[in-house]
């Protein structure tokens, strides 16, 4: 059967994606710090282009959000594909409790 052989690979991909998303959230988690270091204080107003610096921070945030959205959608598509395959397998072997458990686990991920 195809599914048990795929499971370790899919599981490692899932954890990799989780870690990647955690790293990509760093800028969001540190937004107050980013803003404090981006917007100049009164003594540095003439030395730093606050508008350009804010624009760069905004572009960085938008880029991170776009990448994260792409990764999440890809993960959903892959997991949905696994769910579809498991459903097909489940229709053939309705008494397979392990298969049902695996199907429910994948559905929960989605």
């Amino acid at each position: 059967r195809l599914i048990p052989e795929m499971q370790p690979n899919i599981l490692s991909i899932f954890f990799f994606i989780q870690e990647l998303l955690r790293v990509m959230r760093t800028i969001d988690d540190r937004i107050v710090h980013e803003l404090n270091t981006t917007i100049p204080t009164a003594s540095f107003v003439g030395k730093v282009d606050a508008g350009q610096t804010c624009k760069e921070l905004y572009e960085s945030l938008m880029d991170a959000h776009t990448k994260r959205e792409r990764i999440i959608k890809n993960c959903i598509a892959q997991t949905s594909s696994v769910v579809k395959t498991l459903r097909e397998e489940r229709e053939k072997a309705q008494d397979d409790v392990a298969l049902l458990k695996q199907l429910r686990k994948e559905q929960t991920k989605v």
Side-chain angles (χ1 to χ4, degrees):
R1 190 165 31 166
L2 178 66
I3 302 305
E5 295 168 6
M6 289 174 40
Q7 190 61 22
N9 189 29
I10 290 171
L11 192 58
S12 63
I13 291 170
F14 182 75
F15 287 124
F16 172 76
I17 290 171
Q18 277 185 317
E19 180 62 18
L20 184 61
L21 291 173
R22 186 190 64 75
V23 169
M24 292 177 78
R25 276 194 45 130
T26 301
I27 193 166
D28 291 342
D29 293 342
R30 296 178 25 154
I31 193 69
V32 172
H33 172 73
E34 293 291 330
L35 286 170
N36 286 339
T37 58
T38 300
I39 300 172
T41 59
S43 60
F44 287 98
V45 169
K47 300 175 184 175
V48 177
D49 182 356
Q52 181 62 29
T53 306
C54 285
K55 181 181 176 186
E56 289 169 4
L57 176 60
Y58 173 79
E59 289 170 355
S60 175
L61 281 169
M62 294 310 296
D63 183 52
H65 288 197
T66 300
K67 287 178 183 175
R68 198 164 54 228
E69 180 181 14
R70 194 175 321 123
I71 289 169
I72 291 169
K73 285 181 178 180
N74 188 24
C75 182
I76 290 170
Q78 287 179 6
T79 306
S80 295
S81 175
V82 170
V83 167
K84 180 182 176 191
T85 304
L86 288 170
R87 279 185 181 151
E88 291 168 359
E89 289 287 322
R90 176 76 174 134
E91 287 178 14
K92 296 174 190 173
Q94 293 195 3
D95 294 335
D96 190 339
V97 177
L99 186 60
L100 177 61
K101 187 175 179 180
Q102 188 176 2
L103 172 61
R104 292 218 171 116
K105 183 178 178 183
E106 293 300 318
Q107 287 173 326
T108 300
K109 280 185 195 175
V110 175

